[in-house]
Amino acid sequence: MNTAHLGLPVDVPSTALFTDRYELTMLQAALHAGTADRRSVFEVFTRRLPEGRRYGVVAGTGRVLDAVENFRFDSDVLDFLADHQIVDGPTLEWLADYRFRGDIWGYPEGEVYFPGSPIMRVEGSFGEAVLLETVILSILNHDSAVAAAASRMSVAAVGRPLIEMGARRTHELSAVASARAAYVGGFSSTSDLAAGFRYNIPTVGTSAHAFTLLHDTERDAFTAQVDSLGSATTLLVDTFDVAAAVRTAVEVAGTELGAVRIDSGDLLLLAHRVRHQLDELGAKNTKIVVTSDLDEYAIASLAAAPVDAYGVGTQLVTGSGHPTCAMVYKLVARADSDAPGTPLRPVAKKSMGPKTSVGGRKWAARRLDEDGVAEAEVIGSGSVPPELADRQLLVELVRGGQVVAREPLDTARDRHVTAREGLPLSATQLSRGEPVIPTEYAMG
């Protein structure tokens, strides 16, 4: 797919093998049994939030739409499946013509979710829907984990800009997805140029310690950077002696120096000292950027410090301790035959342990209290109660195989701010706790 018209000038390759083998073997067996064409409904949900999290953040929806649209079995892929005897001849013929022609509904990107929320609902024949399980889960589990961490960091930053800097701490393709998810969750820029190219996210970056060490003196390094990038640049001041570096930085760039960056040491103490020194030197508008293994707790601890922006890497792209959301993709309803108009009936796995699920094609709505604050996530089947009709959460994403809800990334980013602000204030507490609102079931 060429996305140049969206400002995303990159072709997305086939996603057909971003799957697990058992999805193809299930397809083969269902084709043989004559059940592959039965109308089916799959839902994506999580049974619990990561420990201590008060809410989840839906991210990756746009990437899912791209993945579904490009789920194609071309000749090279079919040859691979044939050469390795993964599926039989009739299944290969079926796959050669594969296109997802069903419908997908889901929580819009940037929305918050809770245990049991039907984050995405995929409807179509069993054969066409079952193949999408792994690619949908891999995207949503990863991106939603990063977005949730980003959201918590954004809350802790209290409006100060956040820079995503985690590309060197994860897989090169995961880095691009992480930057996108972080942007949805509240980050304002990324250091990763591939993410800037693919998703039009603002990119930032100036120099590392290697640049300072390349030169004979710190003054020479600062002079070279300012001569090249101008006085509005950000100078890294903790290679040797911070106080001496700040003094040299202002001498070289003048009092209109854009910013200084501190990447090590006691950030709280150093931020206060550097701010005092900059003000004494007349560089009152020079900003202070801090990096160095930050997470939401470290950011919160700097709330009273004179810090103007944060750069976050490892903890962000690994979900700040929770790199997945434990989302699952389960069959919740299916027809008894492939005859047109055959009604759906609920199905669900029975389990004595925590892996329970609720059958039935579901809707979801968020009930508000008298002040307009969310008080419950209501999930049901059948008719939606009139009082919840205008609070429904699922939106149409794909209709008859055609994407109908592609949107700019900034729309998802803005949506998240609105969704988070609609939760009780305790949602923004970093202390451990249960989901900020309960999940209620109203099954028809």
Side-chain angles (χ1 to χ4, degrees):
M1 171 193 172
N2 188 292
T3 56
H5 65 291
L6 299 175
L8 312 174
V10 156
D11 289 336
V12 180
S14 168
T15 53
L17 291 185
F18 292 166
T19 189
D20 288 309
R21 177 166 174 160
Y22 82 160
E23 288 160 9
L24 295 184
T25 55
M26 281 191 288
L27 169 65
Q28 176 177 309
L31 288 170
H32 181 73
T35 54
D37 289 332
R38 288 185 177 182
R39 184 179 169 214
S40 301
V41 180
F42 288 83
E43 288 178 352
V44 176
F45 62 94
T46 185
R47 297 182 176 96
R48 66 193 66 82
L49 297 179
E51 183 181 358
R53 296 290 167 88
R54 314 303 299 275
Y55 61 92
V57 181
V58 178
T61 308
R63 295 208 307 122
V64 167
L65 297 181
D66 287 343
V68 171
E69 202 167 47
N70 291 280
F71 204 92
R72 303 283 188 270
F73 292 83
D74 58 26
S75 58
D76 289 339
V77 170
L78 293 171
D79 287 346
F80 164 78
L81 297 176
D83 292 346
H84 291 79
Q85 299 181 350
I86 293 172
V87 291
D88 60 18
T91 305
L92 289 172
E93 292 180 13
W94 191 94
L95 292 173
D97 189 46
Y98 179 86
R99 300 289 186 275
F100 179 74
R101 297 179 174 87
D103 303 324
I104 299 178
W105 290 69
Y107 280 37
E109 191 157 19
E111 183 58 84
V112 296
Y113 71 88
F114 298 92
S117 296
I119 296 164
M120 186 167 287
R121 188 175 71 219
V122 180
E123 303 185 31
S125 71
F126 177 84
E128 65 181 342
V130 74
L131 296 184
L132 300 178
E133 175 183 4
T134 299
V135 68
I136 287 177
L137 287 179
S138 64
I139 292 172
L140 293 181
N141 268 314
H142 172 269
D143 290 22
S144 297
V146 174
S151 179
R152 286 163 60 85
M153 293 174 189
S154 177
V155 167
V158 197
R160 297 169 180 172
L162 291 157
I163 308 163
E164 186 279 313
M165 303 173 64
R168 64 192 61 192
R169 303 301 187 209
T170 188
H171 186 278
E172 65 272 18
L173 297 181
S174 173
V176 181
S178 295
R180 183 187 183 282
Y183 190 70
V184 170
F187 274 58
S188 57
S189 58
T190 179
S191 65
D192 189 75
L193 289 178
F197 178 73
R198 176 70 181 89
Y199 296 114
N200 203 30
I201 300 170
T203 61
V204 296
T206 51
S207 66
H209 294 104
F211 185 77
T212 300
L213 296 172
L214 169 69
H215 293 82
D216 295 335
T217 66
E218 196 166 49
R219 180 179 294 273
D220 289 344
F222 289 173
T223 299
Q225 184 172 327
V226 170
D227 285 349
S228 174
L229 301 178
S231 61
T233 191
T234 299
L235 295 175
L236 182 59
V237 295
D238 71 319
T239 305
F240 303 116
D241 179 87
V242 172
V246 170
R247 184 168 56 251
T248 301
V250 175
E251 289 173 357
V252 170
T255 57
E256 295 307 308
L257 171 63
V260 296
R261 178 163 74 96
I262 308 170
D263 187 50
S264 60
D266 185 334
L267 298 179
L268 180 61
L269 176 64
L270 288 173
H272 281 286
R273 287 181 174 175
V274 169
R275 181 73 271 159
H276 180 72
Q277 185 181 9
L278 287 170
D279 290 347
E280 281 194 331
L281 293 171
K284 296 180 181 291
N285 294 322
T286 299
K287 298 184 182 302
I288 297 174
V289 180
V290 297
T291 53
S292 185
D293 293 327
L294 298 176
D295 61 11
E296 59 265 50
Y297 301 102
I299 292 169
S301 73
L302 293 167
V307 173
D308 298 287
Y310 307 90
V312 190
T314 303
Q315 291 301 317
L316 175 63
V317 299
T318 57
S320 195
H322 297 291
T324 182
C325 302
M327 293 179 186
V328 294
Y329 184 94
K330 295 298 181 182
L331 181 67
V332 297
R334 55 91 168 172
D336 287 329
S337 76
D338 58 6
T342 303
L344 294 170
R345 66 181 181 90
V347 294
K349 170 185 176 180
K350 291 184 179 180
S351 174
M352 299 299 291
K355 289 190 173 184
T356 56
S357 58
V358 179
R361 180 182 185 273
K362 302 175 195 68
W363 50 261
R366 192 160 297 145
R367 191 174 69 238
L368 308 182
D369 65 16
E370 59 186 13
D371 296 318
V373 177
E375 66 176 11
E377 191 90 336
V378 185
I379 299 167
S381 61
S383 300
V384 180
E387 65 273 18
L388 294 175
D390 62 348
R391 299 299 308 166
Q392 293 189 70
L393 293 163
L394 280 83
V395 299
E396 191 176 26
L397 301 172
V398 176
R399 182 193 309 134
Q402 300 298 312
V403 174
V404 296
R406 194 170 271 112
E407 61 185 10
L409 197 56
D410 280 320
T411 299
R413 174 183 166 87
D414 294 342
R415 180 183 293 118
H416 177 60
V417 173
T418 300
R420 191 175 62 202
E421 289 178 344
L423 298 176
L425 285 175
S426 56
T428 60
Q429 293 176 343
L430 296 182
S431 57
R432 294 184 181 277
E434 296 300 315
V436 71
I437 60 174
T439 299
E440 299 177 1
Y441 287 92
M443 304 306 292

